[in-house]
Amino acid sequence: MKSIGKKGIWVLVAILILVIGGVVLWVNAKEDGEKKETGKDENAVSYRSSYHFTTPDKWKNDPQKPIYYKGEYHYYYLYNKDYPDGNGTEWRHAVSKDLVHWKDEGVAIPKYTNDNGDPWSGSVVIDRENKAGFGKDAFIAIVTQPSKETGAQEQYLWYSTDGGKTFKNHSEDPVLENPGVEDFRDPKVVWDDERNKWVMLMAEGSKVGFYESDNLKDWSFTGDFQTEDLGVLECPDLFRMRTEDGTEKWVLGVSANGESVGKPNTYAYWSGEFNGDTFEADEEEPKWLDYGFDWYGAVTFEDGEAEDKMEKRYALAWMNKWSYANNTPTIEHDDFNGTDSIVREIRLEGDDEEGYTLVSNPVPALDDLVTSTDEVGDVTVEDGRESLDVLGDTYRLEAEISWEEAERIGMRLRESEDDERHFDVGFSPRDGYSFVNRSQTDHPDEEGDFLESKAPFKPFDQKVHMTILVDKTSVELFMDNGRTVHTNLVFPRPDDQGISFFVEGGSATFENVKIDHMGKTAE
């Protein structure tokens, strides 16, 4: 074979470099084209929750009470498609059969479509008897909007005759005018079957106002319920429940801010009696459905499939806090800001002597999302820390914890390899409180005012059950079979996936430890 010589070799090398370079450029161009076509970079870090409801894009905040119609729950929430550069909310719509998997249905009540301001919070009911005159089974939404004349908060009626997909404005005049107060919003409409009328609750500063109507258009004031040390109330709620022994109680709830008196900024509630005009509480002090920092604008709603509507209800809330609502890595990585808590089942427990308490636990449909399970068994820790041979970033952890004497017992979750970053959940038997501490991981509170949420803790027989839901940007701790709950935002880094148990000042056994790894509700 004839030699090509040194010059020929260098020519071949140059040609080869050009060919390889061309292939690389073609591959990169193809990948860039695919990214532009799909709008996604498959290698990019994502902070979107795996099994919590999130808005498809931009912004969401307040949930509106879901309603059940023809086999589906219809859920509306405040949405801003122009976030973060434009203002104004509208109502976006999603549907679900199991309260875990949700299908987006787009905007149902658009913003700035009449001379009044944008639609704020309110509530939807189904007019099954055509009381309002828009047809049998029309969806009726009573919504707060700023008045075109003065900007005052007033209540307007929107209606849908296509199963809740799109709504029309009944009139540019309010169905309930502002009585001359600054705060007059978040109408919650419920049906009072004892008295055969519609009842509407209004958030009016530090009190809840009650109104009645036969047709959803004409409303009359009947009374109010005054609160103290709870800030400006929002998103009132009213429903009736039955305990296991058959006792029936009315429950009044509000989104409230008790931080000035050392209480949460979540959902406060009272058990008591509703006489058709106003509410009388059993106790002056409210109880709280969540002790974390990030369970606000909560709503409760009926089990659409149950014959007995008073045995249990469902609840969900916006997982955020107005103090730092715009601080989240999901904006940079996923172009959205808005996540909800998991839907809970709530039940009423107690008696006249001990008082009545709402207990809440995750809906059983979460079981359908389990992709694998680590059965850890029992782990005993003596005044130290024990790391598990399990990693995870989205999971449900369950354990029974028993002890004889200890100062502090808990778990370090989403732990980094160097042990420097983690968030902690647990309780102090000595000092009588449960906690979620996020000070050692990335989180939304740049000022450092809200690092450890606490709740009163009275262990029974020195044993407690804990269920912990961990997702990309959140943790929800359910203790004592749901009598105490903490919901907090946390922003662990993607590679931080360690789990360890710790005990300070004593020993404890973590029994029947099980970790269910959770899949996504949507791809």
Side-chain angles (χ1 to χ4, degrees):
M1 187 171 86
K2 185 177 179 182
S3 172
I4 60 175
K6 290 184 179 180
K7 183 176 180 180
I9 291 174
W10 284 114
V11 169
L12 286 177
V13 169
I15 293 172
L16 186 60
I17 290 173
L18 288 173
V19 171
I20 293 173
V23 171
V24 170
L25 288 172
W26 178 82
V27 170
N28 288 340
K30 184 173 184 294
E31 288 181 352
D32 288 343
E34 289 175 350
K35 290 175 188 176
K36 290 178 182 177
E37 182 179 344
T38 63
K40 296 180 180 180
D41 181 350
E42 297 301 329
N43 296 318
V45 170
S46 174
Y47 280 85
R48 187 178 290 277
S49 295
S50 291
Y51 59 96
H52 287 75
F53 179 88
T54 56
T55 183
D57 56 25
K58 303 308 178 182
W59 167 271
K60 86 164 292 295
N61 56 305
D62 289 8
Q64 315 303 312
K65 181 184 74 172
I67 55 174
Y68 189 77
Y69 183 69
K70 292 186 176 180
E72 291 182 317
Y73 291 93
H74 291 254
Y75 171 43
Y76 303 89
Y77 58 91
L78 296 190
Y79 167 74
N80 178 9
K81 63 176 177 287
D82 302 312
Y83 179 83
D85 300 319
N87 65 2
T89 55
E90 49 198 346
W91 282 31
R92 193 155 182 160
H93 180 203
V95 296
S96 176
K97 295 181 184 297
D98 63 359
L99 299 174
V100 171
H101 299 85
W102 294 92
K103 177 187 176 186
D104 178 51
E105 295 286 336
V107 172
I109 302 180
K111 61 183 177 181
Y112 303 132
T113 54
N114 56 41
D115 289 341
N116 295 306
D118 54 321
W120 298 359
S121 280
S123 60
V124 181
V125 296
I126 299 177
D127 188 7
R128 302 193 185 277
E129 303 301 326
N130 193 23
K131 298 286 187 180
F134 300 108
K136 190 177 184 300
D137 284 354
F139 283 40
I140 307 295
I142 309 293
V143 184
T144 300
Q145 290 179 260
S147 165
K148 61 184 177 183
E149 300 294 340
T150 65
Q153 300 169 15
E154 300 189 309
Q155 317 318 311
Y156 296 84
L157 188 150
W158 293 69
Y159 67 95
S160 171
T161 56
D162 61 2
K165 294 180 180 178
T166 60
F167 284 76
K168 298 177 181 179
N169 189 203
H170 162 57
S171 172
E172 297 207 10
D173 295 325
V175 294
L176 184 59
E177 295 181 354
N178 189 301
V181 297
E182 180 180 359
D183 300 302
F184 191 66
R185 59 177 179 264
D186 304 344
K188 180 62 61 68
V189 179
V190 298
W191 176 251
D192 182 357
D193 55 7
E194 288 185 33
R195 301 163 188 89
N196 197 37
K197 66 177 183 179
W198 294 103
V199 173
M200 182 161 68
L201 288 72
M202 292 296 306
E204 304 179 15
S206 62
K207 69 179 182 179
V208 176
F210 293 86
Y211 301 79
E212 64 181 7
S213 175
D214 293 327
N215 60 12
L216 294 165
K217 295 177 179 177
D218 303 301
W219 294 92
S220 301
F221 174 76
T222 62
D224 55 40
F225 177 82
Q226 182 67 49
T227 67
E228 294 183 3
D229 299 323
L230 295 179
V232 175
L233 307 180
E234 295 188 293
C235 307
D237 197 12
L238 180 70
F239 53 91
R240 192 165 46 152
M241 296 199 77
R242 182 188 301 110
T243 64
E244 285 188 356
D245 68 4
T247 302
E248 294 182 8
K249 302 294 294 186
W250 285 89
V251 177
L252 174 67
V254 290
S255 284
N257 188 349
E259 290 170 357
S260 65
V261 289
K263 301 295 183 181
N265 180 194
T266 59
Y267 182 102
Y269 70 91
W270 299 260
S271 64
E273 299 300 328
F274 176 65
N275 62 11
D277 294 330
T278 189
F279 180 84
E280 183 176 345
D282 293 332
E283 301 173 305
E284 182 177 347
E285 288 293 316
K287 296 181 179 179
W288 299 84
L289 204 49
D290 198 290
Y291 287 86
F293 299 126
D294 303 302
W295 206 74
Y296 196 73
V299 292
T300 71
F301 56 103
E302 292 181 344
D303 181 343
E305 299 179 345
E307 292 186 10
D308 183 358
K309 303 298 185 186
M310 291 193 290
E311 180 183 359
K312 68 176 181 180
R313 288 176 72 83
Y314 296 116
L316 78 156
W318 177 47
M319 282 204 298
N320 212 331
K321 184 180 179 68
W322 284 117
S323 300
Y324 44 66
N326 295 301
N327 187 11
T328 172
T330 61
I331 286 293
E332 176 186 352
H333 293 278
D334 304 278
D335 192 33
F336 84 96
N337 180 358
T339 305
D340 284 343
S341 72
I342 207 69
V343 177
R344 312 174 180 180
E345 281 187 0
I346 61 172
R347 299 175 186 268
L348 184 66
E349 293 184 353
D351 52 43
D352 289 338
E353 184 176 345
E354 296 293 331
Y356 295 89
T357 300
L358 293 176
V359 299
S360 52
N361 285 286
V363 290
L366 281 180
D367 291 345
D368 297 335
L369 297 179
V370 176
T371 58
S372 64
T373 299
D374 285 301
E375 299 277 1
V376 177
D378 297 348
V379 179
T380 298
V381 182
E382 296 188 9
D383 204 15
R385 183 165 61 90
E386 183 75 25
S387 295
L388 304 188
D389 190 21
V390 178
L391 299 176
D393 62 349
T394 58
Y395 53 85
R396 175 179 60 191
L397 190 159
E398 297 197 55
E400 296 274 353
I401 304 174
S402 60
W403 67 97
E404 291 188 0
E405 195 171 310
E407 295 179 8
R408 194 170 168 96
I409 301 171
M411 308 176 187
R412 287 168 53 159
L413 307 175
R414 295 299 304 270
E415 194 170 35
S416 60
E417 288 189 8
D418 60 7
D419 299 335
E420 293 296 320
R421 295 185 303 275
H422 51 86
F423 62 84
D424 302 348
V425 304
F427 54 95
S428 171
R430 184 189 66 180
D431 297 327
Y433 66 87
S434 60
F435 65 86
V436 172
N437 187 304
R438 60 188 181 186
S439 62
Q440 297 301 117
T441 193
D442 296 338
H443 57 78
D445 180 27
E446 293 179 343
E447 301 300 321
D449 296 327
F450 306 103
L451 298 180
E452 183 174 75
S453 60
K454 292 183 178 182
F457 174 66
K458 296 180 180 179
F460 176 75
D461 200 27
Q462 292 182 296
K463 176 173 283 193
V464 65
H465 182 270
M466 296 174 65
T467 298
I468 307 162
L469 301 181
V470 175
D471 209 333
K472 295 293 184 65
T473 59
S474 64
V475 55
E476 291 161 284
L477 167 63
F478 296 80
M479 295 187 62
D480 264 349
N481 297 314
R483 295 179 71 87
T484 302
V485 187
H486 297 251
T487 300
N488 284 344
L489 291 177
V490 287
F491 303 147
R493 301 176 192 181
D495 292 336
D496 295 352
Q497 299 190 19
I499 301 171
S500 63
F501 298 161
F502 66 86
V503 179
E504 299 172 6
S507 65
T509 299
F510 299 76
E511 304 172 24
N512 303 313
V513 177
K514 182 175 73 167
I515 301 171
D516 293 319
H517 300 275
M518 309 295 283
K520 296 181 179 180
T521 56
E523 296 297 333

